[in-house]
Amino acid sequence: MNYDQIFDAAIDRLHSEGRYRVFIDILRNKGAYPNARCFAGHNGPKPITVWCSNDYLAMGQHPKVIAAMEEALHDVGAGSGGTRNIGGNTHYHIQLEEELADLHGKQGALLFTSGYVSNDATLSTLAKILPGCVIFSDELNHASMIAGIRNSGAEKKVFRHNDVEHLEELLKETDPNVPKLVAFESVYSMDGDIAPIHEICDLAEKYNALTYIDEVHAVGMYGQRGGGITDRDNAAHRIDIIEGTLGKAFGVMGGYIAADKRIVDVIRSYAPGFIFTTSLSPVLVAGVLASVRHLKASSVERDGQQAAAAGLKAMMREAGLPVMNSTTHIVPLMVGDPVKAKKISDILLAEYGVYVQPINFPTVPRGTERLRFTPGPQHTEAMMRDLTSALVEIWDRLELKLAA
Ligand SMILES: Cc1ncc(COP(=O)(O)O)c(C=O)c1O
């Protein structure tokens, strides 16, 4: 058995499809976001502008967040010291769970080490607890939800993206006596569209199904207090389990679910991904706590971000660039070819000091490779103008089509 040959062949396949992933080597400049330094392939750090961070509101550099983390570090030290069961159940964790339950108007919340883990652990555990459970999953659900559903061993029925008629067909044909769970996202992060939440909840009520929503790209970003699209659209009370991340708009790290006390207790008691791992560092939790509290009270960051996204979309459209039909803060630009998407990203970095990562399969379907921009409140109009004219120049150079 030639193991090396097998590994080399696996990597060669990625190269030949143009989707071998290269990770950039950067440091962000605290207090000067979106400015950063890039270390790879240059003589010394090169100044760059970041256009693809999911720290959407720059809360990862907010003075309140930094101060809270410094205070926690000096008060209790670096790590939690154990699992939640053994030594790692700190007062910070308990306070943050209360804060998140309140954010979503739920009885309880449960922290995980990431959004990925929260989806995987919760979905796999739920469907094991419910005998014969059938899971109805949107076809564009994130890899972590797909992993959780697969790990549950439950039967999965995939409905076409945001297609409530198809969802109803699948619900109708399923035995009315088996437990059912509809799993979907609020904001789909690669297209920037939003699920028809109320219509899905109507169907869930009609067919007596539980509902599970991933609000990873919406928490902190939408609603009066940053509770996500379910907060904005007054739908949180209709959803059984809301899942979110603490690593995107909240700017730090971690994941969670919010639900009624009974569901939280079941996941807490049965999910290996919650039980058998060291809990989040209290330093991180203290930072998140400051971030969630700040975004509950302040809309300044959300408003600035929405204005920046609308401004960039309008500018790109005006220039004839193929901006996709996003209704959210995400600005995806269709390229449709993995090699060209990578090439554009490389030119932007090397010649314009612009960092935007190409998005390839399996994150998006083949043939829909794209660049995904996430302007924040700190991206200025001048930066957007420079970016747009750089893109037009590159589109021209690579003989890609601009709209007339
Ligand atoms: C829709 C969705 N859910 C879950 C996750 C995982 O969240 P985290 O990055 O906190 O692990 C992501 C990450 O990008 C995501 O896009």
Side-chain angles (χ1 to χ4, degrees):
M1 180 71 65
N2 188 335
Y3 292 106
D4 287 349
Q5 206 172 39
I6 297 170
F7 295 138
D8 286 345
I11 294 297
D12 285 349
R13 275 199 299 280
L14 297 178
H15 278 297
S16 69
E17 290 177 26
R19 58 185 185 94
Y20 178 73
R21 290 173 196 244
V22 180
F23 299 152
I24 197 170
D25 179 357
I26 59 169
L27 285 175
R28 303 196 296 169
N29 304 341
K30 181 167 78 72
Y33 186 78
N35 297 319
R37 290 152 279 166
C38 178
F39 292 86
H42 317 289
N43 293 326
K46 169 184 165 160
I48 58 165
T49 312
V50 178
W51 280 97
C52 58
S53 173
N54 283 334
D55 184 358
Y56 295 123
L57 306 177
M59 290 305 291
Q61 304 194 343
H62 194 285
K64 283 188 191 168
V65 174
I66 305 290
M69 294 180 77
E70 280 175 352
E71 198 184 318
L73 180 64
H74 293 294
D75 191 25
V76 301
S80 76
T83 64
R84 291 291 290 274
N85 189 36
I86 305 175
N89 197 44
T90 79
H91 190 54
Y92 290 105
H93 292 78
I94 293 162
Q95 279 184 298
L96 180 56
E97 284 173 348
E98 285 169 3
E99 201 69 59
L100 292 167
D102 171 74
L103 176 67
H104 295 292
K106 297 291 181 196
Q107 292 172 348
L110 198 64
L111 288 175
F112 297 84
T113 46
S114 74
Y116 188 104
V117 174
S118 56
N119 273 334
D120 186 11
T122 307
L123 285 167
S124 60
T125 302
L126 259 185
K128 275 188 193 137
I129 293 283
L130 298 165
C133 182
V134 177
I135 302 185
F136 300 82
S137 173
D138 186 288
E139 68 177 331
L140 292 191
N141 274 345
H142 187 256
S144 52
M145 297 170 84
I146 296 169
I149 294 167
R150 191 180 304 121
N151 292 338
S152 76
E155 183 184 350
K156 171 169 87 165
K157 296 192 177 188
V158 176
F159 59 96
R160 286 189 292 275
H161 178 53
N162 281 350
D163 185 339
V164 281
E165 277 170 27
H166 190 212
L167 173 60
E168 177 149 32
E169 265 172 47
L170 297 176
L171 283 164
K172 206 185 273 177
E173 71 179 26
T174 304
D175 180 350
N177 298 314
V178 300
K180 300 175 194 68
L181 176 69
V182 183
F184 62 111
E185 301 181 21
S186 58
V187 171
Y188 286 85
S189 70
M190 293 299 149
D191 292 28
D193 58 343
I194 295 178
I197 299 176
H198 279 293
E199 290 172 69
I200 290 177
C201 290
D202 291 343
L203 287 177
E205 279 167 21
K206 185 169 167 189
Y207 292 92
N208 193 20
L210 291 172
T211 45
Y212 181 101
I213 195 167
D214 173 318
E215 286 250 50
V216 158
H217 291 274
V219 289
M221 302 289 292
Y222 294 89
Q224 201 70 38
R225 301 193 308 156
I229 301 288
T230 49
D231 177 9
R232 186 193 74 176
D233 294 355
N234 192 25
H237 63 285
R238 303 190 70 192
I239 299 279
D240 294 296
I241 300 149
I242 297 176
E243 183 272 343
T245 185
L246 306 169
K248 299 190 195 293
F250 293 127
V252 188
M253 191 182 176
Y256 67 94
I257 56 162
D260 76 19
K261 271 198 177 130
R262 194 176 288 114
I263 292 178
V264 168
D265 204 20
V266 162
I267 303 303
R268 186 186 70 84
S269 306
Y270 282 93
F274 173 80
I275 300 169
F276 299 108
T277 188
T278 300
S279 66
L280 283 169
S281 157
V283 179
L284 298 176
V285 180
V288 176
L289 202 45
S291 184
V292 172
R293 284 177 176 160
H294 177 80
L295 289 177
K296 269 183 175 174
S298 165
S299 288
V300 175
E301 294 80 8
R302 281 190 280 281
D303 295 346
Q305 200 284 333
Q306 287 291 329
L312 183 62
K313 279 184 210 167
M315 230 179 252
M316 286 182 170
R317 264 196 205 109
E318 173 95 350
L321 290 161
V323 189
M324 293 169 63
N325 227 356
S326 156
T327 53
T328 60
H329 59 283
I330 291 157
V331 186
L333 206 53
M334 181 57 78
V335 180
D337 179 289
V339 177
K340 284 184 180 151
K342 169 89 170 66
K343 179 99 187 148
I344 299 167
S345 161
D346 288 348
I347 298 175
L348 280 171
L349 185 65
E351 297 181 26
Y352 295 93
V354 162
Y355 171 42
V356 63
Q357 194 72 21
I359 310 284
N360 291 337
F361 177 82
T363 309
V364 294
R366 287 181 209 275
T368 70
E369 292 79 8
R370 63 199 71 171
L371 302 171
R372 174 182 178 273
F373 297 88
T374 51
Q378 282 88 350
H379 288 90
T380 63
E381 207 179 311
M383 286 174 180
M384 294 187 206
R385 256 199 307 275
D386 289 348
L387 171 68
T388 305
S389 62
L391 285 165
V392 169
E393 187 279 315
I394 298 167
W395 240 250
D396 199 42
R397 198 191 309 180
L398 299 185
E399 299 179 349
L400 292 161
K401 260 203 225 118
L402 288 172

